[in-house]
Amino acid sequence: MSAEGRCKEEKEEGEDRKPVIKPGVHVTLKVQDTDGHSVYRTMRRTDKLQGLMDFYYASVPAIARGTGRFLYDGGRLSGEETPAQLEMDDGDEVDFFTELMGGGGWIAGQRVKEEADDGFITIKVQDTDRFKVSYTMRKTDKLQNLIDFYYARVPSVTRGSGRFLVDGTRMQGWKTPADFNMEDGDEVDVFTDLIGGGGGPTTECCC
């Protein structure tokens, strides 16, 4: 075989050998909260995630320590866990939401799973324009918090102009998810009243 042929064969063999990329010792994680704050932290894969949580609270002094939840891939983070245990990759995002006024939080496009004994559920709201929001609250919180959250997220809808239905039943703001036997992942439908009034004054908005 000519020298040119051997070089070509060696080159082709080299192209077939793909390098094995091993996870690095460090990983950079992003914490994103509902107020738009983004915090980045580089840490060892074997470090406890409590360090990431403490760093977030130190970076966002407006949030009181211990008043929020950190979620990754739909599950609540524990400070004792490590990135290696959760198989976290460089650049992965952790969602944070506070528990103010009933523990409301918005996690767009995330699957939220809470412990059964936690008392929190995530309710999905969808209107006729197919706009969706999710809100996490206690089963004993007033549903007015959910209604207010929807109007805040959808400013194009006039406050008080919508009808919120749970399994076809009109939802009142002074009631709670427990009153409707709501479970985690349940969906509320919103129908906005057309110009001209449609159905009289709404009862779900208390403001």
Side-chain angles (χ1 to χ4, degrees):
M1 181 183 294
S2 65
E4 182 179 353
R6 286 196 300 271
C7 289
K8 183 177 181 181
E9 183 177 343
E10 290 174 359
K11 182 178 179 181
E12 290 176 350
E13 290 179 356
E15 290 176 350
D16 291 337
R17 298 194 192 100
K18 296 182 179 179
V20 178
I21 301 175
K22 297 182 180 180
V25 177
H26 294 84
V27 61
T28 298
L29 303 177
K30 174 184 178 182
V31 179
Q32 179 75 44
D33 63 24
T34 54
D35 292 326
H37 298 121
S38 298
V39 176
Y40 294 85
R41 171 78 166 177
T42 299
M43 58 193 298
R44 293 185 180 88
R45 292 181 179 272
T46 54
D47 288 341
K48 292 183 178 181
L49 286 165
Q50 187 62 49
L52 174 66
M53 299 176 185
D54 292 340
F55 182 75
Y56 169 81
Y57 284 124
S59 302
V60 188
I63 303 296
R65 184 177 296 272
T67 60
R69 294 164 168 264
F70 296 84
L71 299 178
Y72 172 71
D73 196 24
R76 187 173 182 180
L77 289 185
S78 166
E80 294 299 313
E81 294 175 313
T82 68
Q85 290 174 332
L86 299 178
E87 299 182 351
M88 301 176 83
D89 294 321
D90 191 56
D92 276 358
E93 183 172 310
V94 173
D95 293 290
F96 174 88
F97 64 95
T98 56
E99 298 176 356
L100 301 177
M101 295 184 63
W106 182 50
I107 308 173
Q110 294 288 336
R111 293 175 292 106
V112 180
K113 299 177 182 177
E114 296 295 340
E115 296 84 350
D117 61 349
D118 194 271
F120 283 83
I121 62 173
T122 296
I123 301 173
K124 301 175 183 178
V125 181
Q126 178 169 317
D127 60 25
T128 53
D129 292 327
R130 303 190 67 81
F131 190 92
K132 295 182 179 181
V133 299
S134 296
Y135 187 79
T136 302
M137 61 191 300
R138 295 180 178 90
K139 288 187 176 182
T140 54
D141 290 334
K142 291 184 178 180
L143 287 162
Q144 186 63 49
N145 294 333
L146 170 65
I147 295 168
D148 292 340
F149 182 77
Y150 168 79
Y151 284 127
R153 288 292 176 182
V154 191
S156 60
V157 178
T158 303
R159 182 177 293 272
S161 65
R163 288 173 290 123
F164 295 75
L165 302 180
V166 181
D167 291 331
T169 302
R170 185 79 172 265
M171 189 179 80
Q172 294 84 25
W174 53 271
K175 288 190 175 182
T176 68
D179 292 330
F180 289 96
N181 296 319
M182 299 180 75
E183 301 292 340
D184 186 59
D186 279 358
E187 187 168 301
V188 172
D189 296 302
V190 182
F191 296 89
T192 54
D193 293 331
L194 301 176
I195 298 174
T202 57
T203 60
E204 64 269 16
C205 189
C206 62
C207 53

